[in-house]
Amino acid sequence: MAAEKEKEAAAGGERWRAAIVNLTEAVVNLDSLQSLLSKKAVFVDDETFSKASLCSEQAKTIKALEKRVENLERELDAAIAAAARVRSEKRQAEASQRASELRAQDVTRELENTTKVFKLHMEELRAKQEEISKRDREIKVLEAIIQTLSAKDS
């Protein structure tokens, strides 16, 4: 039991020493704070303090508004850049459309010319067909004459 009491007394003594160290540090910190306040602190009346507080709040509001304005300016710049890209893409699309329309006109003209040439060839082919039919009939008549003359000679 005596050993336990000695341990408790030793533990209690250590706690007291730690508490004294903490108090000493607190005193040093308070002295430092007091020194700092006495050198840098300004004492004003309530009205001046109220005005200073109002100015401080207004300054904070102004800072927040300035940040908002900066953000809005960045957004505006981004929107302007996006609009410029869209205008550029629109011009490119319009140029592509004009080129496609011109190509379509060229193809249409080419098809019309091909159709005209085809019609001319068809007319030529019909004329040749008529000529061939006419000669075929003439050949048949001549063959009939030859057969008739051959039959008379024999």
Side-chain angles (χ1 to χ4, degrees):
M1 242 286 174
E4 285 180 25
K5 285 188 178 186
E6 286 179 21
K7 285 183 184 178
E8 286 178 17
E14 286 179 29
R15 277 190 242 135
W16 276 108
R17 276 190 290 270
I20 291 172
V21 168
N22 285 341
L23 284 174
T24 305
E25 287 178 4
V27 168
V28 169
N29 288 338
L30 282 173
D31 287 342
S32 174
L33 182 61
Q34 183 180 7
S35 170
L36 185 68
L37 285 174
S38 66
K39 290 179 185 174
K40 297 198 178 197
V42 176
F43 296 98
V44 293
D45 62 355
D46 287 341
E47 183 181 336
T48 306
F49 179 76
S50 295
K51 287 180 183 177
S53 294
L54 178 63
C55 287
S56 174
E57 287 299 317
Q58 289 175 344
K60 288 178 186 175
T61 303
I62 289 170
K63 281 267 192 209
L65 291 174
E66 285 175 346
K67 286 183 180 179
R68 180 69 180 140
V69 166
E70 288 173 5
N71 288 339
L72 289 173
E73 285 174 344
R74 280 195 293 277
E75 289 176 17
L76 178 63
D77 290 343
I80 289 171
R85 278 193 307 276
V86 168
R87 280 193 298 275
S88 174
E89 291 171 1
K90 180 182 175 190
R91 281 192 296 273
Q92 290 175 350
E94 288 171 346
S96 295
Q97 182 180 0
R98 282 192 298 274
S100 296
E101 288 171 354
L102 289 174
R103 178 68 182 134
Q105 289 173 355
D106 288 345
V107 168
T108 303
R109 250 185 265 115
E110 199 173 306
L111 284 172
E112 288 171 351
N113 291 339
T114 303
T115 303
K116 288 176 186 176
V117 169
F118 181 75
K119 285 180 181 178
L120 289 174
H121 285 305
M122 284 300 294
E123 288 175 15
E124 279 184 44
L125 286 173
R126 282 189 194 120
K128 296 278 185 191
Q129 183 68 34
E130 287 175 15
E131 189 179 319
I132 290 171
S133 295
K134 181 180 173 186
R135 287 196 179 171
D136 191 39
R137 278 183 260 128
E138 288 174 357
I139 290 172
K140 287 181 183 177
V141 168
L142 289 174
E143 284 177 347
I145 292 173
I146 291 173
Q147 285 178 358
T148 304
L149 289 176
S150 294
K152 284 185 183 181
D153 285 339
S154 2

